[in-house]
Amino acid sequence: MASGSHLGVGFGLESCTSDVQTAQAFELDGRRVMLIDTPGFDDTSKSDTDILKLIASFLQTTYEKGMKLAGVIYMHRIMDVRVGGISKRNFSMFRELCGDSTLRNVAIVTTFWSEVTPQLGEAREAELRGKDIFFKPVLDKSARMLRHSNTIDSAHDILRQLIGNRPMALRIQRELVDQHLDISETAAGATLSRELLEQAKKHREEIKALQVEMQEAIRMKDEETRKELEEESRKLQKEMHKMQTESQQLASEYRSEKIEMERRMKEMQEKAREEAEQQRQAQIARMRELDEQMQNSAKQSAQEKRKMQDQMDALQRQYDALAADNSDSDWCVVA
């Protein structure tokens, strides 16, 4: 909505953003702004390990190219009746990626206010603000909590809270690039590995309990129950093996993900340069056309000529802005 881009927006149960997406750049209060959309750690089609590799490789690649984020936005639906375990884990991973020192550049944005009464929404907002198990710890460290009312003005007002920030490197960017840590050694990677191992341990205990029940079913000659328990045990073993494998392969698979991200970033930059060049050529052609009209039409009134000159001046400003797009000082990047 803020950028006028046509990125996917999810409203159903399945995740919509399964890859890192960049919105088309736009101007806000004299700043060139680029928005970056990333999938969350509650994705329905990718594992948390896949999401971490995807986000980390993007952040590392952009940081190596000298790009820092002026702001990071975490979206939360105010219509949600409760903040479940998945949402808490999602936000926990978000914090590990950012680190406490960059929380001043973080905005927690609540959405779907039209789906609740003002009284209910404000009560939930107060609970989210005031409880340590929700957003209070990050708000105490200078993060901001803002509302989005699903309008362009609201979206721009939120961005205005961020575009004046001093761009800062996130914790995972400093860990991977400045400290040369392995992905599994980063705070986010270590947290994810620990969670995977804890889940695998829980599955192992569940399998042991199922085996006891299977022995009882065999003793009672209950073949139907035995088969059901055996199938459930196989599912848990498969899931446990998957978690153990993901934890072990996080570092090795990240390297290939990083190479792929660098390739995609190069393609994105080339495409952006081509589109910018096309816009510049179109503006040059339009300026020439207006100039010819002014030179060839002696009958034009002074008012009409002033109008054409204003159009040419506006096109010149747009051209100059496009030419300056590679300057870091002109850009504000928000993820």
Side-chain angles (χ1 to χ4, degrees):
M1 182 176 288
S3 67
S5 298
H6 299 287
L7 302 182
V9 180
F11 296 99
L13 295 176
E14 292 188 1
S15 303
C16 184
T17 306
S18 60
D19 204 345
V20 175
Q21 301 180 81
T22 56
Q24 62 188 29
F26 61 100
E27 188 170 313
L28 180 64
D29 296 346
R31 300 291 305 278
R32 294 284 290 172
V33 181
M34 178 181 288
L35 298 174
I36 301 164
D37 188 24
T38 65
F41 285 95
D42 55 352
D43 193 83
T44 53
S45 61
K46 292 180 180 291
S47 69
D48 284 355
T49 304
D50 291 333
I51 298 301
L52 177 59
K53 289 185 294 187
L54 183 66
I55 295 177
S57 62
F58 178 83
L59 290 173
Q60 180 178 355
T61 302
T62 51
Y63 184 49
E64 287 172 341
K65 294 181 181 297
M67 184 185 293
K68 297 179 184 178
L69 300 174
V72 187
I73 297 173
Y74 182 88
M75 313 291 283
H76 178 80
R77 296 181 297 266
I78 200 68
M79 63 185 285
D80 288 354
V81 177
R82 61 179 60 87
V83 181
I86 292 177
S87 294
K88 289 178 183 177
R89 184 161 53 87
N90 198 355
F91 187 65
S92 174
M93 289 298 295
F94 173 80
R95 281 198 65 182
E96 298 292 1
L97 288 169
C98 294
D100 287 349
S101 64
T102 56
L103 289 177
R104 71 191 69 175
N105 285 5
V106 167
I108 299 170
V109 174
T110 51
T111 59
F112 284 93
W113 280 87
S114 62
E115 300 300 314
V116 296
T117 63
Q119 295 82 1
L120 179 58
E122 288 169 6
R124 287 180 182 169
E125 183 183 53
E127 188 175 10
L128 293 169
R129 283 182 178 275
K131 289 195 173 182
D132 287 336
I133 59 172
F134 299 138
F135 301 139
K136 185 178 184 298
V138 299
L139 296 175
D140 288 345
K141 293 182 182 293
S142 301
R144 282 162 280 192
M145 195 168 183
L146 307 170
R147 298 181 186 180
H148 178 42
S149 58
N150 203 33
T151 66
I152 293 177
D153 288 341
S154 173
H156 285 172
D157 285 342
I158 290 168
L159 293 177
R160 287 189 176 97
Q161 300 287 320
L162 300 173
I163 61 176
N165 291 341
R166 179 173 66 87
M168 302 175 69
L170 303 185
R171 173 196 281 173
I172 196 166
Q173 291 176 313
R174 298 192 304 270
E175 290 172 330
L176 291 170
V177 180
D178 299 335
Q179 301 172 29
H180 306 289
L181 295 183
D182 189 280
I183 181 69
S184 59
E185 297 172 325
T186 65
T191 298
L192 180 57
S193 295
R194 185 167 58 251
E195 289 183 355
L196 289 171
L197 292 175
E198 287 174 357
Q199 290 177 29
K201 180 181 177 182
K202 182 180 178 181
H203 284 341
R204 195 177 297 112
E205 293 171 352
E206 291 173 347
I207 290 170
K208 287 181 180 179
L210 285 173
Q211 288 174 341
V212 172
E213 292 184 42
M214 277 194 289
Q215 290 299 322
E216 180 63 18
I218 292 171
R219 190 179 68 81
M220 298 295 294
K221 298 182 179 179
D222 186 346
E223 188 64 15
E224 184 177 351
T225 300
R226 184 194 68 77
K227 288 182 178 179
E228 290 177 356
L229 291 170
E230 191 174 36
E231 177 62 25
E232 183 65 22
S233 179
R234 272 198 296 267
K235 289 180 181 178
L236 285 172
Q237 286 176 336
K238 183 178 179 181
E239 187 66 22
M240 183 181 68
H241 178 71
K242 178 185 175 184
M243 290 175 179
Q244 291 172 331
T245 302
E246 284 183 3
S247 178
Q248 294 166 357
Q249 294 180 347
L250 177 59
S252 61
E253 292 183 353
Y254 177 73
R255 285 188 286 272
S256 59
E257 180 70 42
K258 175 70 164 53
I259 293 171
E260 174 62 19
M261 180 59 70
E262 288 173 345
R263 184 192 65 78
R264 297 210 309 267
M265 284 290 295
K266 186 177 180 181
E267 288 181 352
M268 289 165 57
Q269 288 175 328
E270 290 175 352
K271 183 179 179 182
R273 279 195 292 268
E274 289 174 1
E275 290 176 350
E277 181 59 28
Q278 289 173 1
Q279 290 181 44
R280 283 195 290 268
Q281 293 300 325
Q283 288 169 348
I284 290 172
R286 179 56 180 158
M287 285 190 288
R288 287 174 177 168
E289 180 184 343
L290 288 170
D291 186 55
E292 288 177 2
Q293 288 178 13
M294 291 178 66
Q295 297 296 330
N296 296 333
S297 181
K299 296 181 180 180
Q300 286 179 325
S301 67
Q303 183 178 0
E304 289 174 331
K305 286 188 176 181
R306 278 197 301 272
K307 183 177 179 181
M308 283 189 176
Q309 186 61 54
D310 289 342
Q311 290 178 355
M312 288 184 66
D313 292 342
L315 284 168
Q316 185 65 51
R317 287 194 296 271
Q318 293 174 16
Y319 179 85
D320 292 341
L322 283 170
D325 275 353
N326 291 327
S327 172
D328 291 340
S329 61
D330 293 331
W331 280 94
C332 173
V333 186
V334 180

